[in-house]
Amino acid sequence: MTLERHHLIYLAAGASVALLAGAFLFQFLGWAPCQLCLWQRWPHVVAGVIGLMAVGIGGRGLPALGAATMAVSAGLAAYHTGVERKWWQGPSSCSGDAPLAGDGGMLLPGAESEAPALVMCDQVQPFFLSLTMANWNLLMSLALVVLWLVAARRLA
């Protein structure tokens, strides 16, 4: 592999790891994720692993797989964006008339206060420049698709 190709792979995989670290940082700071937010983290975990493998093994297949992984991330983020904007229905467990934490009488008295609050997937929570975290993940994931594809096209 050329040094430039390694840099592209490090940049693509590192960006996914940085996005993932940022998500955990915001969660630590009190910005609780919804179910769809949690789903969107998995492709970034996979992209980080693919990046390590691509540098170690080489070939065009792994960077192409990295691009596919980021396409999945972009798809999940686009789906979440649509749920936030009420373009389509989200998972019943976190959108629309989802039951609140503690409903159903399954918990002991007083346990409701210990149950984590349900974060609704269909609530728009602007984050930066009037875009939500799902919107930013969509934009970043699309940019990473391109970066992974450029890395895949570089000669080994």
Side-chain angles (χ1 to χ4, degrees):
M1 277 190 209
T2 65
L3 188 59
E4 185 177 330
R5 183 163 190 239
H6 271 107
H7 284 146
L8 292 170
I9 291 170
Y10 286 138
L11 183 60
S16 281
V17 171
L19 286 170
L20 189 60
F24 282 113
L25 174 66
F26 284 111
Q27 184 175 345
F28 176 77
L29 294 174
W31 197 299
C34 70
Q35 180 182 2
L36 291 177
C37 293
L38 294 173
W39 290 357
Q40 290 174 73
R41 293 179 183 187
W42 286 105
H44 292 289
V45 171
V46 172
V49 172
I50 289 171
L52 291 174
M53 291 172 50
V55 169
I57 297 172
R60 292 179 190 226
L62 288 170
L65 187 58
T69 301
M70 287 298 93
V72 168
S73 178
L76 286 169
Y79 173 67
H80 191 183
T81 295
V83 170
E84 288 176 333
R85 308 287 179 200
K86 310 279 193 283
W87 294 340
W88 43 75
Q89 184 68 35
S92 61
S93 61
C94 70
S95 60
D97 295 327
L100 298 176
D103 279 358
M106 299 291 289
L107 300 174
L108 297 173
E112 292 87 359
S113 62
E114 296 176 19
L118 179 65
V119 178
M120 301 301 286
C121 298
D122 59 357
Q123 298 298 311
V124 176
Q125 297 181 22
F127 172 66
F128 182 66
L129 298 177
S130 298
L131 297 175
T132 67
M133 286 190 182
N135 302 151
W136 283 109
N137 187 40
L138 173 59
L139 295 172
M140 295 301 297
S141 294
L142 290 173
L144 290 174
V145 167
V146 172
L147 191 58
W148 277 110
L149 289 174
V150 170
R153 292 189 49 110
R154 299 283 178 187
L155 294 177

